[in-house]
Amino acid sequence: MPTPPPPSASGGATTPAAAEPHSERAFRMRRTQEFMDAHELDGLLVFGADRSDRYDAGQYLFRDRRYQHFVLPRHGEPTMVAFAAQVAAQHQLSRERGLETWIDDIRVGPAPELLPAIAHEKKLGTGRLGVIGAGYGSPFYPGGWVSKQVWDAISERLPGATLVDVTRDYGLVMARRSDEDLAHLATAAAAGDAAIEAMMALARPGVNEAELYAEGVATMMRKGMRVTWMLFQTGLDNYAWGEPTWLTRPEPSRKLERRDMVWAEIFPNYAELNTHVNMSFTLGEPPAETARCAEVARASYEAGVAAVRPGATFAEVCAAMEVPLAESGMWHLTPQFASLNPLLSGGGSALGIREHLDAFADTYPHADGHAGPFFDFEITPGMTFSLQPDARLGRSGAIVGGVVAATASGCREFNTVSTRLNIVDV
């Protein structure tokens, strides 16, 4: 059996005093069992993804290395198919050190061969198997991440099985997080705020933007975060978004000017819980247009906080956050709202770019925004989101944001620094 967790330091604070202490593994496995029961599945075939900050059911189920594959029978012990023996070696060392592990059976080899063999071994060869990875998993994986070659090989070796894609539906199971996970999410969100404060402390005219980027990343890593990258831009006259172009091609990074602006979307990840912390700050008092954009972005953020509640839909929150921009005649480049853990959906983006940005429509006649969310669903307690309103007036703009979670009574906010435009006194 998996290594048991150490005694809880909180005394089971996530459950009533008379109840058993909270077990995160039991919570996740119980919900997964209920999912298989509801869908009449005999087991799950779980394919790891190469961008597991967006969707990784295997990591959710077993809290082990990213990207691995699993066979999980409805009744019986699960098996991991790892890419190399180093995964098993790390697992063994963890157990020797008395650390918690959630799986025992780790095998190494090609997934197209091992997964069907293991399914047959577990008497699942003629069963109804849910497949995670073969269908919609996020806006970045609208068709899943299992290649046709792998799918054909799996199907050929399991001719008697009924394979059912459950990627999107199981994503909704993963999305409903426990109190323990929400505590970890708070840790990640706080690291995002700390990164903003660290960058603001360093920001001065003449400072290279690469130094700010490095300081933000280093601050989060010192707090134990997994940090993959940041979306990061500088300049008051900046209508773009994305990672700095000096990370993608050989070009110099920019130095900050006396009246300048820093924009970022920060991704601190703790206990494999992903956050998106969107923010902007200016060096010195912002111009009137920028200040106005910041007011509208803040109004959109507040509309999102008011709209996130059990029973509301993802699309309804998106629509509520659009209202302040529409009333102010502004446009936005990035999605205003995104689901987290996993990243199942995002709102519309680049709405109004062809009308509000000079020469864009003529230069890029086939580039436009999209209006609706990629996937709509009903919000339930425990689901986590990023509010990330971006308000723009021509080439001016501001972005604010923060991580939130739906609670039984409404919305819980996790950030304080990122939720407004900040100003660095220079």
Side-chain angles (χ1 to χ4, degrees):
M1 292 298 291
T3 305
S8 172
S10 65
T14 57
T15 56
E20 290 293 323
H22 174 76
S23 165
E24 185 62 28
R25 181 175 186 270
F27 170 82
R28 297 183 188 189
M29 293 306 296
R30 181 178 67 253
R31 288 182 51 76
T32 301
Q33 184 72 49
E34 292 168 352
F35 176 81
M36 287 194 278
D37 290 345
H39 288 76
E40 299 181 336
L41 300 174
D42 297 301
L44 295 173
L45 295 181
V46 181
F47 290 88
D50 62 357
R51 281 306 306 271
S52 56
D53 53 332
R54 293 166 179 164
Y55 191 121
D56 192 332
Q59 211 289 325
Y60 170 82
L61 282 164
F62 302 110
R63 268 192 178 171
D64 219 291
R65 289 276 286 270
R66 290 177 166 193
Y67 320 137
Q68 313 314 307
H69 313 299
F70 298 86
V71 179
L72 175 63
R74 187 173 176 183
H75 305 291
E77 293 298 313
T79 297
M80 174 199 290
V81 175
F83 82 99
Q86 62 174 270
V87 178
Q90 186 176 43
H91 183 271
Q92 178 171 306
L93 182 61
S94 293
R95 301 178 85 173
E96 290 174 354
R97 291 176 172 175
L99 302 174
E100 181 183 11
T101 61
W102 286 6
I103 193 166
D104 286 331
D105 187 6
I106 299 178
R107 309 182 193 184
V108 177
E113 296 175 11
L114 278 184
L115 289 176
I118 294 166
H120 283 295
E121 176 187 314
K122 296 180 184 295
K123 311 301 183 185
L124 300 174
T126 58
R128 178 178 165 86
L129 301 179
V131 180
I132 295 177
Y136 181 92
S138 83
F140 299 95
Y141 290 124
W145 49 89
V146 179
S147 69
K148 183 179 184 301
Q149 181 181 9
V150 170
W151 180 258
D152 287 347
I154 296 288
S155 301
E156 181 181 338
R157 289 175 169 87
L158 289 171
T162 301
L163 303 179
V164 183
D165 174 63
V166 295
T167 311
R168 188 180 70 177
D169 290 343
Y170 189 73
L172 294 173
V173 174
M174 296 164 60
R176 191 164 185 175
R177 296 290 171 163
S178 67
D179 288 348
E180 179 179 310
D181 269 351
L182 295 185
H184 295 324
L185 195 77
T187 298
D193 275 347
I196 298 168
E197 292 174 329
M199 289 190 289
M200 290 173 59
L202 183 62
R204 294 291 183 273
V207 172
N208 193 298
E209 64 180 357
E211 295 181 45
L212 289 189
Y213 188 100
E215 184 65 22
V217 169
T219 298
M220 290 184 283
M221 295 189 75
R222 282 192 289 266
K223 293 182 176 294
M225 301 297 114
R226 180 196 290 272
V227 184
T228 51
W229 63 340
M230 290 194 296
L231 305 184
F232 185 89
Q233 299 284 314
T234 64
L236 279 165
D237 182 24
N238 186 336
Y239 52 85
W241 196 241
E243 63 183 331
T245 53
W246 41 263
L247 287 179
T248 58
R249 52 180 179 254
E251 64 184 36
S253 50
R254 182 175 173 271
K255 290 186 177 181
L256 299 183
E257 299 175 358
R258 177 156 294 277
R259 297 187 72 203
D260 217 326
M261 190 166 184
V262 176
W263 322 53
E265 184 169 356
I266 303 169
F267 305 106
N269 183 318
Y270 183 69
E272 293 295 17
L273 292 164
N274 192 35
T275 63
H276 296 194
V277 182
N278 290 53
M279 69 91 203
S280 55
F281 64 81
T282 60
L283 273 63
E285 291 295 324
E289 296 86 351
T290 302
R292 176 58 183 150
C293 290
E295 292 174 359
V296 174
R298 174 64 192 183
S300 179
Y301 175 88
E302 292 174 352
V305 170
V308 170
R309 65 189 187 282
T313 66
F314 188 90
E316 287 171 346
V317 179
C318 292
M321 295 183 70
E322 292 288 349
V323 172
L325 280 82
E327 292 178 344
S328 303
M330 295 187 182
W331 68 285
H332 65 89
L333 183 60
T334 67
Q336 309 289 74
F337 188 49
S339 60
L340 300 176
N341 305 302
L343 203 169
L344 282 176
S345 192
S349 66
L351 298 181
I353 189 171
R354 296 175 69 81
E355 294 76 32
H356 290 270
L357 196 58
D358 292 343
F360 184 88
D362 292 336
T363 306
Y364 305 101
H366 305 293
D368 202 354
H370 70 91
F374 290 90
F375 168 45
D376 193 21
F377 56 89
E378 182 178 320
I379 294 172
T380 57
M383 287 185 171
T384 60
F385 303 94
S386 171
L387 301 178
Q388 44 192 57
D390 163 30
R392 299 177 185 253
L393 193 60
R395 299 168 68 99
S396 299
I399 190 166
V400 302
V403 178
V404 300
T407 67
S409 58
C411 180
R412 174 184 174 186
E413 299 174 73
F414 290 91
N415 290 93
T416 56
V417 178
S418 61
T419 57
R420 289 180 170 81
L421 175 69
N422 286 284
I423 300 170
V424 175
D425 184 5
V426 295

